[in-house]
Amino acid sequence: MTFLLFLVVILFLLAITDLIVGVSNDAVNFLNSAIGSRVAKFKTIILIAAAGVILGSIFSSGIMEIARKGIFHPQYFTFDKLMWVFLAVMLTDIILLDVFNTLGLPTSTTVSVIFELLGASLVTGLIISFEKKEAVTEVMKYINAESVVSIITGIFLSIIIAFTTGILIQYLCRLVFTFNYEDKLKRFGALFSGLGITAIVYFLLIKGLKGTNIISESSTAWVSKNTLLILGLLFIAGTIVCGVLQRFFRVNPLKIVVLMGTFSLAMAFAGNDLVNFIGVPITGFISYQNWHGSGLPANELTQGFLASNDVVVPTYMLLIAGGVMALTLWLSAKAKKVTETEVSLGSQNEGEEKFKPNAVSRSIVRSSMILGNFFSLIVPKTISTRYNLSFEKNKIKQATIIYDKPAFDLVRASANLVIASSLIAFATSLKLPLSTTYVSFMVAMGTSLADKAWGAESAVYRVAGVLSVIGGWFITAVIAFGVSGLFALILNKGEMIGAIIMIILVGAYIILSQVTFARMEKTKNEKLSRLNLLPSADLDIITSNKKMITGTLSEIKKHYNLVLEALRETDKGALEKAHKNLSELEDYGFSLRAQSIRYMKGLNNDDKKSAQVLLYSTDLLQDIANSATNLSDECFHYLKNLHKKPDKEFLQITEELRLRMSNFFDLVIKALSTNNYSEMDSIKASRDKVREYVNQQLDAQVSHIQIKKPGVKQSILQTSILLQSRDILAVTLRILKMYKKYMQ
């Protein structure tokens, strides 16, 4: 009894952990529209979402069926076997969701818990059947196959419905409002907002009443009887309130819809998804109470009561769960990472893409372009012109740099929230465990497509990202099923010892995951901060750019020296580290170049000087980084592949080259840092001496290859070091000349 009680306690502790990792993943469902449109400060958005989560948790007491009888038939499982199923499910869910959180990919907590229950109960059913020596045909009696098929079909059908609904409704909204929606908002804003608020309140409060035990049946019946009257009053009241706020207080009514939609979607999320996190532990606790009062051994008491009795979850448990979820929203860094992925895929602006294109994404985009060209031939020109005018982006000539715009506007954010919350709440009222992640994500992608967010600049990247996320959903199901089944097998065979080992391993994994993630995020934030071309308000963009270029040159100099020193000492570890750092600098150079182009697009048309500095400096820096990386790559792979150590004479040459290059770097960096170009002639003379030395050594290498005939790998290494160093030398001086030209 003591150990079984311990398992119940562990289930609740795991439930808290599962709430944290689960909310970190599912927060994207209700935060992405508000955060992407910058409707309010981040803290305000989180507070509104947290309030919705806490209230929604109270409305979730009627949907625990999935954990107790939706996937398996509990009457065929004894209490001890059922506890192994529940423990396997919780351990798998924590690991699986945390992996997706770390990767920044939204996945479905509903799908994961369904397939985890399916895998664990199927394996446990096989074990029971084997112990009873039943026929193979009897195995499927343990699984509620009809319910499983119905649930899975409903979930994947919701993907198609959500995507098509998002496209159609956003298309109509954009036709009405256009991207330059300020004038249309004065005429239709209050009406549109009143309709959105009515839809939100109807689905979340009226439909949601069926899922809770805090409101009497008579009150629910009255609401159901007077639905049309309530809807009419809601629409009138919502329209009037939004109209008054818009006319007299200059409040954008779409902001009201987005904030209210964030609250409602958070509420719908808690109402629908809370079962995924606490349904299993609560069912385990109820089973424990039933077994404790029966007086029978754990391996003799079957759990048929779970299939016949209605389970009413105490409100205090739901409130505690809601509180944990709300705190997670505020504190979780992984929740922000998952949100960033979805916002970037739906962004209306150009930016650094998170996913690489692949053959499938290119094929889809190519086919879509061909189909679009076909329709353009048969659609009348008048309709085509009206369509293009409605979807024309706002062309504002910026006098200042704007590099951190909202990902999309309030029209799309409103549509996202109204559509998703309506679909999710409607399914919740029918006690269907649809995936809030699938619905929210596909609605967001549908509205993005309707808004032409996937243009020629970004389509292949965005489609690849969507395919990656959807592919992750299928992987979720496979992994959840397989790992949960494996854990169930270990627990059934290892029992108490197996359970303790599994719990310790999962705990150690979670701790290690958090430490690793924190380190990765710190490195990522440092890289992002380096891409800010205006880190300080008191610096102009050219000065800021020069400071950044100078700092990067210093880093290249440092790692260039380390590469040649590591080659001389045959230190493969140090060389690998230097090569990795130079590769990161090469990637940084590419990102900096892209960021500079975005800054240039925001500059005043008359500011040619700043635009030219941004363009030329980042291009030259990328050339240097490429040459330094190629040099380190040659050296690293030479040592890595265990080739013959370079001749002593050549290592002496590389040491002399390192000293000369280092001295030249110092002269250039000093001139850039002090903005003093009076020593330009002496710097050129230094460059000439280094270049003359390199050319002499290259001539010597040519003679050496012809006379001594060394190995091909060694010859490639030695000539590459000299050639790449000469390129670095030339481009470094060009950077100095460029700044001298523009700074003076």
Side-chain angles (χ1 to χ4, degrees):
M1 179 184 294
T2 304
F3 179 70
L4 291 172
L5 179 60
F6 167 75
L7 287 184
V8 173
V9 173
I10 288 296
L11 283 177
F12 276 103
L13 291 176
L14 292 175
I16 295 173
T17 307
D18 203 29
L19 278 169
I20 294 171
V21 296
V23 173
S24 295
N25 195 279
D26 277 1
V28 63
N29 303 336
F30 48 87
L31 292 179
N32 97 86
S33 293
I35 292 175
S37 63
R38 307 282 175 81
V39 68
K41 293 181 179 178
F42 181 77
K43 290 182 179 180
T44 303
I45 295 171
I46 293 297
L47 286 173
I48 291 172
V53 164
I54 292 173
L55 185 60
S57 63
I58 302 174
F59 285 77
S60 64
S61 62
I63 60 169
M64 295 296 171
E65 286 83 354
I66 184 176
R68 61 189 180 90
K69 63 178 182 179
I71 306 301
F72 58 89
H73 292 297
Q75 61 268 29
Y76 296 112
F77 291 82
T78 56
F79 173 63
D80 60 331
K81 297 295 185 184
L82 203 60
M83 291 300 288
W84 298 135
V85 170
F86 291 158
L87 185 58
V89 168
M90 296 303 295
L91 292 173
T92 305
D93 205 47
I94 290 171
I95 294 175
L96 182 62
L97 294 180
D98 188 74
V99 168
F100 275 87
N101 291 344
T102 303
L103 295 174
L105 294 175
T107 190
S108 171
T109 55
T110 303
V111 168
S112 63
V113 78
I114 286 173
F115 279 91
E116 285 156 5
L117 281 167
L118 182 61
S121 58
L122 180 61
V123 169
T124 304
L126 284 168
I127 292 172
I128 295 173
S129 181
F130 180 78
E131 290 174 350
K132 292 183 177 180
K133 298 181 180 179
E134 296 176 337
V136 177
T137 54
E138 294 290 308
V139 173
M140 290 308 297
K141 73 178 182 181
Y142 297 96
I143 304 300
N144 190 346
E146 182 179 351
S147 176
V148 170
V149 172
S150 175
I151 291 170
I152 294 173
T153 302
I155 287 175
F156 285 98
L157 186 63
S158 69
I159 295 175
I160 301 172
I161 294 173
F163 187 65
T164 53
T165 305
I167 292 174
L168 293 174
I169 293 181
Q170 179 60 22
Y171 178 80
L172 295 175
C173 289
R174 193 58 72 188
L175 277 178
V176 173
F177 286 100
T178 74
F179 280 97
N180 307 307
Y181 60 83
E182 287 77 10
D183 292 335
K184 297 290 181 72
L185 193 64
K186 295 176 182 177
R187 295 159 56 186
F188 306 116
L191 196 67
F192 177 79
S193 301
L195 186 63
I197 290 170
T198 302
I200 290 168
V201 174
Y202 170 65
F203 282 105
L204 291 187
L205 297 184
I206 296 179
K207 290 289 186 182
L209 293 177
K210 296 180 180 180
T212 182
N213 58 4
I214 64 173
I215 297 177
S216 64
E217 292 184 6
S218 59
S219 298
T220 304
W222 183 87
V223 169
S224 179
K225 184 178 180 181
N226 297 278
T227 297
L228 291 177
L229 175 63
I230 295 172
L231 286 178
L233 293 174
L234 278 173
F235 176 68
I236 294 171
T239 304
I240 292 173
V241 170
C242 290
V244 170
L245 290 174
Q246 182 182 16
R247 184 178 180 85
F248 297 104
F249 298 94
R250 298 188 180 279
V251 175
N252 188 332
L254 295 181
K255 288 188 175 183
I256 300 173
V257 176
V258 173
L259 292 175
M260 193 169 179
T262 300
F263 173 86
S264 66
L265 199 55
M267 184 176 165
F269 152 74
N272 190 78
D273 277 17
L274 192 59
V275 61
N276 302 336
F277 312 126
I278 67 171
V280 169
I282 287 177
T283 306
F285 175 65
I286 294 170
S287 299
Y288 175 81
Q289 287 181 317
N290 178 63
W291 167 74
H292 188 265
S294 69
L296 294 174
N299 60 355
E300 294 182 10
L301 180 66
T302 56
Q303 300 298 296
F305 84 103
L306 289 176
S308 57
N309 296 348
D310 288 331
V311 176
V312 178
V313 182
T315 303
Y316 75 88
M317 286 189 177
L318 299 174
L319 282 173
I320 292 172
V324 172
M325 295 162 81
L327 285 173
T328 301
L329 287 179
W330 186 269
L331 300 173
S332 176
K334 291 189 177 182
K336 297 175 185 177
K337 184 176 179 69
V338 180
T339 303
E340 286 173 7
T341 298
E342 187 164 319
V343 169
S344 68
L345 286 176
S347 176
Q348 200 73 40
N349 308 313
E350 296 177 24
E352 188 173 352
E353 301 293 342
K354 293 180 178 293
F355 297 90
K356 294 182 180 180
N358 52 52
V360 178
S361 69
R362 293 189 193 99
S363 299
I364 292 174
V365 173
R366 190 181 298 112
S367 301
S368 300
M369 291 173 67
I370 294 172
L371 189 63
N373 292 334
F374 172 75
F375 279 113
S376 67
L377 295 175
I378 62 176
V379 173
K381 286 188 176 181
T382 54
I383 297 176
S384 178
T385 302
R386 179 179 175 84
Y387 168 82
N388 290 328
L389 286 174
S390 295
F391 284 83
E392 188 178 53
K393 307 294 191 302
N394 192 11
K395 297 180 177 65
I396 301 176
K397 292 185 178 179
Q398 303 290 350
T400 57
I401 296 171
I402 298 176
Y403 57 90
D404 196 19
K405 302 176 185 177
F408 41 81
D409 64 13
L410 292 170
V411 174
R412 198 203 310 174
S414 303
N416 283 346
L417 291 162
V418 171
I419 298 167
S421 61
S422 299
L423 291 174
I424 293 167
F426 178 70
T428 302
S429 69
L430 300 177
K431 298 183 179 180
L432 298 175
L434 95 171
S435 168
T436 56
T437 300
Y438 291 6
V439 171
S440 299
F441 182 82
M442 295 311 296
V443 166
M445 295 304 101
T447 57
S448 300
L449 184 61
D451 261 1
K452 296 184 176 181
W454 302 350
E457 291 284 330
S458 60
V460 291
Y461 304 95
R462 304 283 175 87
V463 172
V466 173
L467 292 176
S468 297
V469 172
I470 295 176
W473 296 347
F474 289 98
I475 292 173
T476 297
V478 174
I479 294 176
F481 179 84
V483 175
S484 183
L486 176 63
F487 283 4
L489 178 63
I490 294 172
L491 292 170
N492 273 285
K493 297 300 181 182
E495 296 187 337
M496 183 172 68
I497 295 175
I500 293 173
I501 293 174
M502 293 291 295
I503 292 167
I504 292 173
L505 289 176
V506 171
Y509 164 78
I510 292 296
I511 294 172
L512 180 62
S513 172
Q514 295 301 316
V515 173
T516 304
F517 179 79
R519 190 183 300 121
M520 290 169 54
E521 286 299 290
K522 182 180 178 181
T523 303
K524 174 189 169 186
N525 291 333
E526 289 174 353
K527 290 180 179 178
L528 288 176
S529 65
R530 293 181 61 187
L531 289 173
N532 184 4
L533 297 184
L534 287 176
S536 177
D538 60 348
L539 293 178
D540 63 82
I541 194 166
I542 295 181
T543 303
S544 177
N545 166 269
K546 183 167 70 71
K547 182 179 178 182
M548 185 180 298
I549 296 295
T550 305
T552 308
L553 275 178
S554 297
E555 290 188 62
I556 291 174
K557 170 210 165 185
K558 172 187 172 183
H559 297 305
Y560 174 89
N561 285 336
L562 289 174
V563 167
L564 295 185
E565 287 174 352
L567 178 66
R568 188 183 72 237
E569 301 296 333
T570 323
D571 188 345
K572 190 176 73 173
L575 185 51
E576 182 178 11
K577 184 177 180 181
H579 175 59
K580 179 183 177 183
N581 289 328
L582 282 171
S583 298
E584 290 177 355
L585 283 175
E586 185 180 25
D587 293 338
Y588 167 71
F590 179 81
S591 299
L592 182 61
R593 191 175 181 184
Q595 182 76 331
S596 297
I597 296 293
R598 288 191 281 272
Y599 271 79
M600 288 166 58
K601 292 169 70 174
L603 290 172
N604 190 293
N605 288 340
D606 297 328
D607 194 0
K608 299 291 185 184
K609 178 181 175 181
S610 296
Q612 289 171 346
V613 169
L614 289 175
L615 178 64
Y616 299 148
S617 64
T618 52
D619 180 62
L620 293 172
L621 182 69
Q622 192 176 8
D623 284 346
I624 296 175
N626 287 342
S627 297
T629 304
N630 289 337
L631 186 151
S632 67
D633 185 62
E634 288 285 355
C635 295
F636 173 61
H637 282 90
Y638 189 85
L639 290 189
K640 181 180 178 181
N641 293 323
L642 306 176
H643 296 309
K644 179 184 176 183
K645 184 177 179 179
D647 297 335
K648 183 178 180 181
E649 292 78 11
F650 182 77
L651 293 177
Q652 290 175 347
I653 292 171
T654 59
E655 178 61 15
E656 179 65 22
L657 175 64
R658 185 187 69 79
L659 294 173
R660 291 178 181 234
M661 287 288 290
S662 183
N663 179 62
F664 174 73
F665 269 122
D666 288 339
L667 292 173
V668 173
I669 291 168
K670 181 180 178 182
L672 289 172
S673 301
T674 60
N675 204 31
N676 180 7
Y677 305 100
S678 60
E679 302 294 326
M680 178 62 80
D681 290 339
S682 63
I683 295 174
K684 286 183 179 178
S686 175
R687 186 278 313 268
D688 292 340
K689 289 180 181 179
V690 180
R691 184 174 60 186
E692 183 181 357
Y693 177 78
V694 171
N695 288 337
Q696 288 175 354
Q697 299 307 322
L698 277 170
D699 291 341
Q701 283 299 312
V702 171
S703 299
H704 180 74
I705 292 171
Q706 290 178 321
I707 298 171
K708 297 289 184 70
K709 296 180 174 48
V712 173
K713 301 296 184 184
Q714 183 178 348
S715 299
I716 291 174
L717 171 72
Q718 295 179 178
T719 53
S720 293
I721 290 174
L722 294 168
L723 289 169
Q724 298 295 349
S725 296
R726 189 172 65 177
D727 290 344
I728 294 170
L729 185 71
V731 180
T732 303
L733 186 64
R734 287 174 62 190
I735 287 180
L736 184 62
K737 288 180 178 179
M738 184 209 68
Y739 279 113
K740 180 186 177 184
K741 173 185 175 181
Y742 287 105
M743 297 300 287
Q744 293 183 346

